[in-house]
């Protein structure tokens, strides 16, 4: 059986935080605000995987009210999601994701981001696609107020 899930996440850009996207610390004057490291891309991917497996969302498994996971590295979230997926005897066929922001420019970091995701998901890098796009200065992403990400994941039963 094959199943598909989609994920979406948004985090506000603020001063005094790191800008972590896809597990990579992107040099930028602002960072993403959140209870965790606010890795918008890994959150969207995690939600896509959880959705495909009918396991809810990351808010269910990693609530922002839990002080024990304050500032958690989102790569750890993704690894735990993969463990949940494996418990249900599913594996990832592929992931396709898009980060939406004007700045920072992500092209120089895409290869490392893909390597991180492939490693954390225990799959070949050729099953991962990550894109970056802008909104041509429109909306909150265009004004530099935040970054959004969306992802889709196809899984199959083992």
């Amino acid at each position: 059986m094959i199943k598909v899930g989609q994920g979406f996440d948004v985090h506000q850009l603020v001063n005094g935080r790191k800008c972590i996207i896809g597990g990579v610390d992107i040099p930028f004057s602002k960072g993403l605000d959140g209870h965790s490291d606010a890795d918008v891309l890994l959150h969207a991917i995690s939600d896509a995987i959880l959705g495909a497996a009918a396991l809810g969302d990351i808010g269910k498994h990693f609530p922002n009210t839990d002080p024990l996971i304050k500032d958690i590295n989102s790569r750890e979230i993704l690894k735990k999601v993969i463990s949940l997926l494996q418990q249900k005897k599913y594996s990832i066929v592929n992931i396709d994701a898009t980060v939406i922001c004007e700045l920072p420019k992500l092209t120089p970091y895409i290869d490392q981001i893909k390597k991180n995701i492939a490693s954390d998901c225990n799959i070949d890098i050729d099953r991962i696609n990550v894109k970056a796009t802008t909104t041509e200065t429109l909306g909150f992403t265009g004004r530099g107020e935040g970054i959004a990400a969306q992802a889709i994941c196809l899984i199959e039963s083992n």
Side-chain angles (χ1 to χ4, degrees):
M1 177 189 321
I2 60 170
K3 297 171 77 176
V4 66
Q6 65 89 30
F8 178 79
D9 196 37
V10 173
H11 284 277
Q12 183 178 13
L13 281 165
V14 297
N15 291 317
R17 293 271 300 188
K18 290 184 176 186
C19 186
I20 310 290
I21 300 175
V24 176
D25 187 349
I26 310 289
F28 193 55
S29 60
K30 293 183 176 181
L32 295 168
D33 192 27
H35 186 70
S36 66
D37 64 5
D39 189 324
V40 67
L41 176 59
L42 295 188
H43 293 181
I45 290 171
S46 294
D47 265 345
I49 295 165
L50 289 167
L55 291 169
D57 61 22
I58 62 173
K60 173 183 173 181
H61 297 277
F62 307 94
N64 65 6
T65 55
D66 184 349
L68 297 176
I69 59 170
K70 177 77 174 128
D71 297 322
I72 187 174
N73 182 324
S74 293
R75 292 187 71 186
E76 294 305 314
I77 290 173
L78 181 56
K79 290 174 189 174
K80 289 177 183 180
V81 166
I82 294 302
S83 177
L84 293 170
L85 185 72
Q86 291 168 341
Q87 288 173 29
K88 286 202 71 170
K89 304 209 182 307
Y90 284 105
S91 59
I92 294 173
V93 175
N94 76 302
I95 295 169
D96 186 29
T98 305
V99 180
I100 305 150
C101 62
E102 296 296 319
L103 293 172
K105 295 300 182 190
L106 299 180
T107 302
Y109 309 100
I110 295 290
D111 288 342
Q112 185 58 53
I113 289 169
K114 287 171 54 176
K115 287 177 189 173
N116 289 348
I117 296 165
S119 173
D120 295 345
C121 293
N122 300 311
I123 60 175
D124 292 335
I125 197 166
D126 64 356
R127 293 178 180 230
I128 307 289
N129 190 53
V130 175
K131 305 172 296 293
T133 192
T134 71
T135 57
E136 303 296 330
T137 71
L138 297 173
F140 72 89
T141 59
R143 292 187 300 270
E145 296 169 6
I147 296 177
Q150 57 188 15
I152 191 164
C153 176
L154 186 67
I155 63 173
E156 64 184 353
S157 54
N158 293 334

